Amino acid sequence: MTVSVFRALHHGRAPGDPLVLPGPWDAASARVFADAGFPALATPSAGVAASLGYEDGATPAAEMFAAVARIVRAVPVPVSADIEAGYGMPPKELVERLLDVGAVGCNLEDSADGTLLDPQRQADRLAEVRAVAGDDLFVNARVDTYVRRVPDGTDPEAETITRARLYAAAGADCVYPIAAPPESLPRLAAAVPVPLNALALPDGPSPRRLGELGATRITFGPGQQRRAMAAVREMAERLHAD
């Protein structure tokens, strides 16, 4: 499945009908989601890390790309890959690695080691990725203003809009203000000229409601992997009790 198919899924959607992208952590979970009829998938770096025995953010790049490759091979639908901040790779190498494993898109976050990156430098990096990839990669620019400390006296929503606009101007296809409060989504969507990705949480609004609030695309982070492991843990506890 080509990137053009994946890109088209983000456009022309009704407000209450966002693109819902489940987050597989291995080939087996990817097959379950694809068999359920989802048109595309988006891997979560934290979920993949857990499946490989690593803490979030500690997966070696080679293992992350290998895991993405296995997921891509397992399903007949487009797969976008969460590659954190890009593992320090120069844009050309990063794009080549993504295309080699068959990913049609990627998440690139604007923080490293728990600290927000300079937004203009991040925009410049995104522009380099776009220049190298051309139209062959869907770039989802993650904005970490709600999960990392913003400078004192800075309004997180205003900083989010500033960064999102910079990243869109640099060529990002979509922006992802992870963990943005639902009440901020209408203002964020109105201020940014590209599709908006929202994170769905188990105790938060439904994907449909997030779409009504302005999100075009819904992802789940490691939430689905954690729910699956909770079911496995419950099964294990019952077996042990018997």
Side-chain angles (χ1 to χ4, degrees):
M1 301 294 284
T2 65
V3 64
S4 61
V5 171
F6 186 67
R7 186 172 280 116
L9 289 171
H10 292 75
H11 295 281
R13 308 197 71 90
D17 180 35
L19 175 62
V20 176
L21 298 177
W25 53 94
D26 60 13
S29 59
R31 285 184 180 134
V32 169
F33 291 131
D35 289 347
F38 289 97
L41 307 173
T43 68
S45 62
V48 173
S51 76
L52 297 173
Y54 293 102
E55 295 296 321
D56 185 20
T59 310
E63 292 197 44
M64 182 64 75
F65 283 108
V68 172
R70 290 190 292 272
I71 289 169
V72 169
R73 286 198 301 267
V75 294
V77 299
V79 176
S80 182
D82 183 346
I83 52 168
E84 304 177 15
Y87 308 110
M89 294 180 183
K92 185 175 187 299
E93 180 183 1
L94 189 64
V95 170
E96 288 175 350
R97 295 287 291 275
L98 284 162
L99 297 180
D100 283 347
V101 300
V104 298
C106 68
N107 284 6
L108 278 173
E109 57 197 53
D110 66 349
S111 66
D113 301 320
T115 302
L116 285 168
L117 301 173
D118 176 79
Q120 187 58 61
R121 289 185 64 184
Q122 179 69 358
D124 291 344
R125 178 166 167 76
L126 290 168
E128 290 184 61
V129 169
R130 172 56 65 215
V132 172
D135 291 332
D136 292 338
L137 197 68
F138 186 99
V139 178
N140 188 32
R142 203 178 92 171
V143 185
D144 286 1
T145 42
Y146 291 103
V147 294
R148 307 295 183 214
R149 182 179 176 83
V150 298
D152 291 340
T154 301
D155 175 58
E157 186 175 297
E159 181 67 14
T160 299
I161 290 171
T162 296
R163 288 171 177 262
R165 284 175 169 167
L166 275 173
Y167 304 161
D173 295 282
C174 184
V175 293
Y176 179 19
I178 187 170
E183 60 271 19
S184 294
L185 294 179
R187 293 185 293 274
L188 296 175
V192 180
V194 295
L196 188 73
N197 188 154
L199 174 68
L201 297 172
D203 57 351
S206 68
R208 178 176 292 277
R209 179 58 182 151
L210 292 171
E212 291 170 347
L213 291 170
T216 299
R217 159 175 162 157
I218 310 298
T219 53
F220 300 86
Q224 292 161 327
Q225 185 269 341
R226 290 172 180 170
R227 288 178 64 185
M229 291 312 299
V232 172
R233 188 174 298 110
E234 181 181 347
M235 179 178 64
E237 290 170 352
R238 287 202 305 269
L239 287 170
H240 188 264
D242 290 343

